[in-house]
Amino acid sequence: MSDQLLNILKNEADISDREMLLYLEGKLTPEERQSVEERMAASEMLADAEEGLSQLNNKEEINKAVAGLNQQLADQLVKQRRKRKRKELPNLSLVILSTFLILVLIVIAFVVIYKMQKG
């Protein structure tokens, strides 16, 4: 479970997956609990994670929820990469067209210079 939870919270380095799990299970000292709550108050992502995870009844449900969230994040990343690649294609065609036009202009210039020298 901790590896999966770590994937979600890795951008929120202030609270480890272990701390979050202990917080949810009520196994932190009052000082540790207060520290975690203060850090959650400063981060909307952590507060949302705590709220959602606290509604689950057992570790198995947490594991399933976290695995589902990780899969959704992975799917979104794949979609974003595909969109980025699609955007790159028009730029590639512009480079090819520009290169072709430059080559045509070079050939025309060569022909004109050649004819002027002969003429």
Side-chain angles (χ1 to χ4, degrees), residues 68-112:
L69 289 171
N70 284 331
Q71 184 60 46
Q72 287 177 350
L73 290 171
D75 292 345
Q76 285 179 346
L77 286 174
V78 168
K79 287 178 185 177
Q80 287 176 351
R81 288 180 187 137
R82 286 181 185 158
K83 285 181 182 178
R84 238 183 272 143
K85 284 183 181 181
R86 287 183 198 146
K87 289 180 181 179
E88 291 172 4
L89 291 178
N91 293 338
L92 180 62
S93 61
L94 182 61
V95 169
I96 292 170
L97 179 62
S98 299
T99 304
F100 177 75
L101 288 174
I102 290 171
L103 288 173
V104 168
L105 290 174
I106 290 172
V107 169
I108 291 172
F110 178 76
V111 169
V112 167

Side-chain angles (χ1 to χ4, degrees), residues 17-31:
D17 57 330
R18 179 168 166 68
E19 280 181 299
M20 180 64 83
L21 187 57
L22 291 173
Y23 175 82
L24 292 170
E25 293 173 351
K27 295 181 179 178
L28 294 177
T29 66
E31 295 82 19

